[in-house]
Amino acid sequence: MRRMTALVVLLCIALCCFAACAQQTTAAAPASKASDTSQYPKQMGQAKSTDTYTENKVTLWNEEAQRKFKCLEVIPKGLTDGEKVPMIVFVHGGNGDEKSLVDEPEALAADKIAGITFECGSCVVSGKNVSPADYTYRVSDLETVLAYVKSLPYVDADRLYLYGQSYGGLVVMAAAPRHNDDTAGMILESTGMNEDGGVIGNGDRPALKQYQLPEDWKGYILGYSHDVIICCSEGDAAAYANGQYTAELFSGRSNAATTFYSCPEGAHSFAMFSAEGKAITLDAMRDLVLQGNTK
C-alpha cells in the first residue's frame, strides 16, 4: 500500500512538471516568432555565377503582409572597392515568381547595372495562389524590396529604377509617386492603364489602405516626376493599346520625358518578345539608366 501511495505521489509530481514545462513552452512562442523574423534579410546562397554577374538567393520579410518571400539579386562582377552601380527593381506580372524576369538583369549586368527580382504576393505559381491579396500587398512587397536594396553597399541610391511587367506595371505606377525623392525612372513593359483604371481590380483580402490609389488616380500617377519608358509588343493588342494610352497620359507632364517603344511581333511579356523586341527593350533600358535620357 505504501509503495502504491509513493507511485501515485511520483506520478502527480511528474504530471505537474510536464504541465509547467508546457506552460513555459507556450509562453516562449512569441519570442520564437520574433527571432524568426529578425533573421531577415536572409542570404540563401548563390543561385548562379557567370563571367558578368553573381546571382544570389535572398529571402525578405514583409512585416505589413506578415509573410516572407524570395528574391534573386543579380550583382555585376568586377566592381572595385567602394564602387556603386545603378539598380533596377523588377516587378513581375499576375502569375510568376522571382525567376520570371531574371533574364533581363542577367543581360544588363555586363553594363554594370544591378537588378533584383522577387516573388510578389497574390501571384499564382504552379497552380498555387501565393498569399492571396490585392495590388496593395504587392506595393507593400515592393516597399520591402526597396528598403533592402537601399541598404546594399554597392548600390547607387541616386540611381534606383522601377520596372513593372504586365500587372506589375500597375503596381509600379501605384508606388512610383511615393518615391520621387529616391528613384530615378520607371520602366513599364507589356502594360498600361485603361481609361477607367479598372485594370487594377481587387483581391480577396482587405486592402492596405496606405497604398490604395485615390479616386483621382490619373492625377496621382502623373505626379511621378522622372522619365518613363514603355515597351509593348505589337502582337499583344490589349497591353499595346493600354501602353499607348498610358504613354499619352505621361507625355502630358512638363517635368519629365516619356517614350513609347513599339516592339515588332512577339506576345505578352519580355520572355515572349521577338529577338528584335528584346533588343529594343534592353537598349531602351540602357539608355535610360546609363545615359539618363530617353529617345
Side-chain angles (χ1 to χ4, degrees):
M1 181 62 121
R2 288 179 180 173
R3 279 187 190 174
M4 183 67 71
T5 302
L7 286 172
V8 170
V9 170
L10 288 173
L11 181 58
C12 290
I13 293 171
L15 288 172
C16 289
C17 289
F18 178 80
C21 288
Q23 288 178 344
Q24 289 175 359
T25 301
T26 302
S32 175
K33 180 181 177 183
S35 65
D36 285 344
T37 59
S38 66
Q39 66 185 306
Y40 301 104
K42 188 174 183 181
Q43 301 297 322
M44 304 299 290
Q46 193 176 99
K48 193 187 297 186
S49 180
T50 71
D51 291 340
T52 58
Y53 64 84
T54 300
E55 191 169 296
N56 294 332
K57 296 182 285 186
V58 183
T59 301
L60 300 182
W61 174 258
N62 182 339
E63 184 66 25
E64 291 176 320
Q66 288 291 292
R67 79 178 197 96
K68 62 182 179 181
F69 60 95
K70 300 174 184 176
C71 309
L72 288 174
E73 181 182 344
V74 181
I75 307 169
K77 279 193 173 174
L79 301 183
T80 59
D81 288 345
E83 183 176 3
K84 294 182 181 293
V85 297
M87 164 69 79
I88 303 176
V89 179
F90 291 82
V91 184
H92 69 69
N95 300 335
D97 57 22
E98 75 281 5
K99 298 182 286 292
S100 299
L101 299 175
V102 77
D103 287 354
E104 293 171 78
E106 289 176 352
L108 294 169
D111 299 288
K112 287 194 173 181
I113 300 172
I116 188 167
T117 63
F118 62 98
E119 173 195 72
C120 292
S122 76
C123 62
V124 178
V125 182
S126 301
K128 181 180 179 181
N129 199 318
V130 178
S131 184
D134 73 359
Y135 72 95
T136 57
Y137 282 82
R138 292 189 179 218
V139 175
S140 182
D141 287 340
L142 174 56
E143 295 288 342
T144 302
V145 176
L146 282 170
Y148 170 69
V149 299
K150 290 175 191 176
S151 73
L152 297 173
Y154 67 88
V155 171
D156 184 345
D158 292 325
R159 291 193 291 168
L160 289 178
Y161 294 83
L162 301 175
Y163 179 109
Q165 180 261 330
S166 190
Y167 193 78
L170 309 180
V171 171
V172 163
M173 282 187 274
R178 299 167 55 89
H179 293 282
N180 276 322
D181 294 335
D182 57 6
T183 63
M186 179 164 59
I187 303 150
L188 303 174
E189 179 254 298
S190 301
T191 191
M193 289 287 195
N194 55 13
E195 291 193 37
D196 64 4
V199 290
I200 283 287
N202 288 301
D204 54 4
R205 288 177 67 182
L208 294 172
K209 292 183 179 180
Q210 64 269 38
Y211 301 130
Q212 281 185 306
L213 287 172
E215 187 174 345
D216 179 20
W217 62 268
K218 289 181 185 178
Y220 173 76
I221 67 171
L222 294 179
Y224 188 62
S225 59
H226 299 284
D227 288 356
V228 176
I229 63 174
I230 304 173
C231 304
C232 294
S233 169
E234 294 172 0
D236 184 13
Y240 193 90
N242 288 344
Q244 286 184 311
Y245 174 73
T246 302
E248 291 174 6
L249 286 179
F250 278 107
S251 293
R253 301 174 303 158
S254 60
N255 58 347
T258 303
T259 306
F260 180 83
Y261 291 88
S262 180
C263 300
E265 302 177 343
H268 191 71
S269 82
F270 180 86
M272 293 188 283
F273 278 13
S274 64
E276 184 179 356
K278 289 181 178 180
I280 289 171
T281 301
L282 291 172
D283 283 344
M285 293 166 68
R286 292 185 183 102
D287 286 339
L288 175 66
V289 175
L290 299 177
Q291 306 301 326
N293 68 336
T294 61
K295 295 179 180 177

